[in-house]
Amino acid sequence: MTHVRDMIGYGEAPPDPNWPGDAYLALQIVLNYEEGGENSPLYGDAASESYLSELVGIQPYVGQRNLNVESLYEYGSRAGFWRLWRLMTDRGLKLTVFGVASALAANPAAVAAMQHAGWEVASHGLRWIDYKDFARAEEEAHFKAALDLHRQVTGTLPLGWYTGRISEQTLDIVMDHGGLLYSSDSYCDDLPYFVERNDKRHLIVPYSLDANDMRFVSPQGFNSGDQFLSYLQDSFDFLYEEGRRGAPKMMSVGLHCRIAGRPGRTAALARFLDRVAEKPRVWITTRADIARHWHAAHPR
């Protein structure tokens, strides 16, 4: 069997990333902003949203809106975002927003707050929907529309891209566009890496679905803030020690306004950030800055 997948990666000896400040660990926090971009017949979709809400296991309502799910999403934009924004800005922390273009367009005040805080706003696509069954031309049209709307809403084109619910052709579309510094539709490493297709090179800054608040609304996931805190701390401590021993990595933490923005979960996140603040030589940064550093320090 001929493998078309890279099962080896960096292998036994990953490169020293040489993080700025000689950091032992690059910590990257992502805030997914999706509220208002999810499935709903209100937006012409065939069924209501059923993914990543407090109603675990609910099935889509075909041809009908699910007002319970919609209101759970609305919590994220109305309350959760602002709670997390205060938590991060009070600590002076920079993060990356994976912003669904249609969701950003629905809340200009939130976009202004992101920009005032100096956060990176990467693109999370046009809509927060599943692209696995899209024809290439249709997905490409959504990709281009996402970039156009992102520029209208934020004033600039994004540097990074993350679809999330991808298709087999998503990476090809991203690479064919050629205007992005990086993308993040991968979970296969603790360090950035380049991919090559058709004489084109593109940087992947991997993401994480384990150190991610989505586990609160997934089967066999976190059921308390303490579990979330414990997992984040263990991940951080282990990676920090690897870095101290000479093999620095990056750690991604994934958040959602409607999930981590709930008070009991924000409290656990705050305790984690307090723990991080006690450690020296941690680079808390954006994905764009990680990508810039990798392009400069590890072009090959």
Side-chain angles (χ1 to χ4, degrees):
M1 181 175 68
T2 301
H3 268 292
V4 296
R5 299 160 59 195
D6 181 358
M7 310 300 293
I8 299 171
Y10 291 123
E12 185 180 4
D16 184 342
N18 295 308
W19 297 133
D22 203 21
Y24 294 145
L25 177 64
L27 177 63
Q28 208 295 293
I29 300 169
V30 165
L31 180 60
N32 291 271
Y33 195 92
E34 300 160 347
E35 290 77 12
E38 77 276 11
N39 284 288
S40 171
L42 184 65
Y43 306 134
D45 300 308
S48 63
E49 185 59 69
S50 61
Y51 189 50
L52 293 188
S53 81
E54 304 292 335
L55 300 174
V56 179
I58 193 170
Q59 296 301 305
Y61 289 5
V62 178
Q64 298 182 52
R65 295 169 65 186
N66 186 328
L67 299 184
N68 287 331
V69 171
E70 287 185 18
S71 68
L72 287 166
Y73 269 73
E74 288 159 12
Y75 183 91
S77 61
R78 293 163 60 111
F81 168 79
W82 297 105
R83 180 170 291 116
L84 294 170
W85 183 85
R86 288 189 294 269
L87 177 72
M88 298 298 174
T89 55
D90 285 351
R91 289 166 168 75
L93 299 180
K94 298 292 179 66
L95 54 77
T96 292
V97 177
F98 284 163
V100 172
S102 55
L104 295 174
N107 196 342
V111 175
M114 297 170 193
Q115 294 178 320
H116 179 73
W119 296 353
E120 177 203 359
V121 185
S123 181
H124 197 0
L126 180 65
R127 300 281 315 285
W128 175 229
I129 56 179
D130 199 333
Y131 284 91
K132 69 179 178 63
D133 295 322
F134 272 50
R136 173 164 180 145
E138 186 181 11
E139 183 176 353
E140 206 159 24
H142 274 233
F143 176 85
K144 293 176 180 178
L147 295 181
D148 288 343
L149 184 55
H150 189 102
R151 178 164 49 186
Q152 292 175 36
V153 171
T154 68
T156 61
L157 286 170
L159 296 173
W161 181 275
Y162 175 73
T163 297
R165 293 193 264 183
I166 61 173
S167 72
E168 290 187 22
Q169 67 252 358
T170 299
L171 181 58
D172 288 329
I173 292 171
V174 169
M175 291 183 67
D176 286 348
H177 170 71
L180 293 160
L181 184 67
Y182 73 92
S183 65
S184 290
D185 280 307
S186 175
Y187 316 97
C188 73
D189 213 305
D190 297 313
L191 289 172
Y193 62 93
F194 285 101
V195 292
E196 296 188 9
R197 295 188 182 188
N198 301 321
D199 298 322
K200 296 178 181 178
R201 282 179 98 240
H202 178 69
L203 183 66
I204 306 292
V205 181
Y207 187 42
S208 166
L209 298 183
D210 61 310
N212 193 307
D213 67 0
M214 67 177 286
R215 308 299 299 173
F216 280 111
V217 294
S218 303
Q220 296 182 318
F222 307 132
N223 61 31
S224 72
D226 285 344
Q227 290 182 346
F228 185 41
L229 172 63
S230 177
Y231 193 85
L232 292 181
Q233 285 186 341
D234 284 348
S235 300
F236 176 83
D237 289 348
F238 198 93
L239 290 170
Y240 187 88
E241 182 61 17
E242 282 191 353
R244 195 186 66 79
R245 290 173 176 264
K249 304 293 194 307
M250 65 172 284
M251 175 180 173
S252 295
V253 175
L255 308 174
H256 298 75
C257 302
R258 64 191 176 278
I259 302 175
R262 293 283 176 176
R265 297 164 183 163
T266 306
L269 178 62
R271 292 197 294 275
F272 169 68
L273 295 175
D274 290 343
R275 166 78 167 245
V276 170
E278 296 172 355
K279 296 285 190 177
R281 295 172 68 172
V282 178
W283 185 35
I284 304 175
T285 189
T286 66
R287 298 179 94 73
D289 280 344
I290 287 174
R292 290 188 187 99
H293 173 80
W294 207 265
H295 276 285
H298 304 278
R300 293 294 170 187

